[in-house]
Amino acid sequence: MKIHEYQAKQVFRRYDIPVPQGQPAFNLDEVPAIAKKLIDETGSPVVVVKAQIHAGGRGKGGGVKLAKGGPEDAKAVAEKILGMQLVTKQTGPAGQKIRRIFIEQGVDIDRECYFAMLVDREVRRVCVIASREGGMDIEEVAEQHPEKILTVHVDPLLGLAPYQVRKLAYFLGLAGSKETYASFAKFADGIYKCFTAEDCSMIEVNPLLVTKQGTVLALDGKVTFDDNAEFRHKASFAELRDPDEEDPVELEAKNVGLSYVSLDGNIGCLVNGAGLAMATMDIIKHYGGEPANFLDVGGGATQEQVTQAFRMILSDSGVKGIFVNIFGGIMRCDVVANGVVAAAKELGLKVPLVVRLEGTNVEAGRRILDESGLKIQSASSMADGAQKIVAAIKA
């Protein structure tokens, strides 16, 4: 689960991670008072107006602007941002509507670094990624100047050790003065405590700012929580969730116990097992099609969940055909078949449907489909099914 920058900084403050002062606004009338308060409290005549969406690249898209003329100027800048359709690399060409903004104090910048903490699944440890090239796309730095990136893996028993903090500080050039080093050490320790206590899967601070006074500040903050840990944070996760930023079908799937991710294709996929779902999408593309979704109904899906899965697939008006690919181990093929038939009849299915069943009770499942009276194409294999559905939507 992703959260907004202002929410990330609220979480950071609980762990004494240094951040600039700021406050969110949800309409234009709130902006002047917030800007005046920041100017009065910080003594800085400059405030920054930031669009709040779950995507990076906001500055390049025009979603981050300075206001230097006081509260009314801040309101005029906010008027240009609030309600705009912000397009970045991560939003896609359609962009994302700005419904919230963040008003933050202006800061004297000496230089910018990059700092992130995430789970490295290959070594099964938390890792820190740091670079002196802050404010840039880290992917570009990694591709063009890999020597400018340092990766440090954290022993789960020891935590982020002092020698690792020193290594990071020297690499980032933050060990030149006691004050700057102490500020960075406090920041790094707070980030690690936040990461572990809040069950994060990623924290990215880009840029990590060094002020002209030599202190370190998290000028930005992107936080992603591990959904698998939601049972430990039900209240806080619910409070931080922004339904306007999440796909409503994905939220619906989560509520009924299904794994669903929307994609841009036109072939709906209903599969059991994440690995098989990935393979199904790959083979559809191999034969010239484009998957419209990732949908894993799991090993213990009921007939009702299969029906619900069909409803979610068909809620996408771009879907021109559906491929059901089930390998029944724990899941029984007859249960899937009953769900498919019930959904097709209930929803008045009008798009081509190809079904491949293998595994437990497969003969019973195929018999249910054959006797349903519906136009369902049966497939003998995953490849056969992919070819048939691609051909069917092109017919």
Side-chain angles (χ1 to χ4, degrees), residues 322-371:
I322 299 176
F323 180 26
V324 176
N325 186 19
I326 299 295
F327 189 88
I330 299 173
M331 173 170 253
R332 290 162 38 195
C333 293
D334 57 324
V335 171
V336 175
N338 281 321
V340 168
V341 171
K345 291 181 177 178
E346 179 183 338
L347 302 174
L349 187 67
K350 294 182 175 63
V351 299
L353 172 62
V354 176
V355 179
R356 178 253 183 163
L357 297 177
E358 287 293 346
T360 306
N361 288 3
V362 63
E363 295 302 330
R366 290 172 179 168
R367 187 165 56 252
I368 291 169
L369 295 178
D370 292 340
E371 296 173 357

Side-chain angles (χ1 to χ4, degrees), residues 6 9-10 13 19-25 34 37-38 41-42 48 102-105:
Y6 76 89
K9 289 178 175 177
Q10 290 170 354
R13 288 190 183 97
V19 296
Q21 293 186 46
Q23 187 175 330
I34 295 172
K37 180 182 178 183
L38 289 173
E41 291 181 351
T42 65
V48 187
F102 186 37
I103 316 299
E104 193 170 60
Q105 72 174 105

Side-chain angles (χ1 to χ4, degrees), residues 271-282:
V271 191
N272 67 318
L276 185 59
M278 296 294 288
T280 300
M281 292 189 294
D282 286 344

Side-chain angles (χ1 to χ4, degrees), residues 83-97:
M84 74 179 290
Q85 201 75 14
L86 181 58
V87 179
T88 76
K89 286 183 179 180
Q90 295 182 18
T91 64
Q96 182 69 37
K97 185 176 181 179

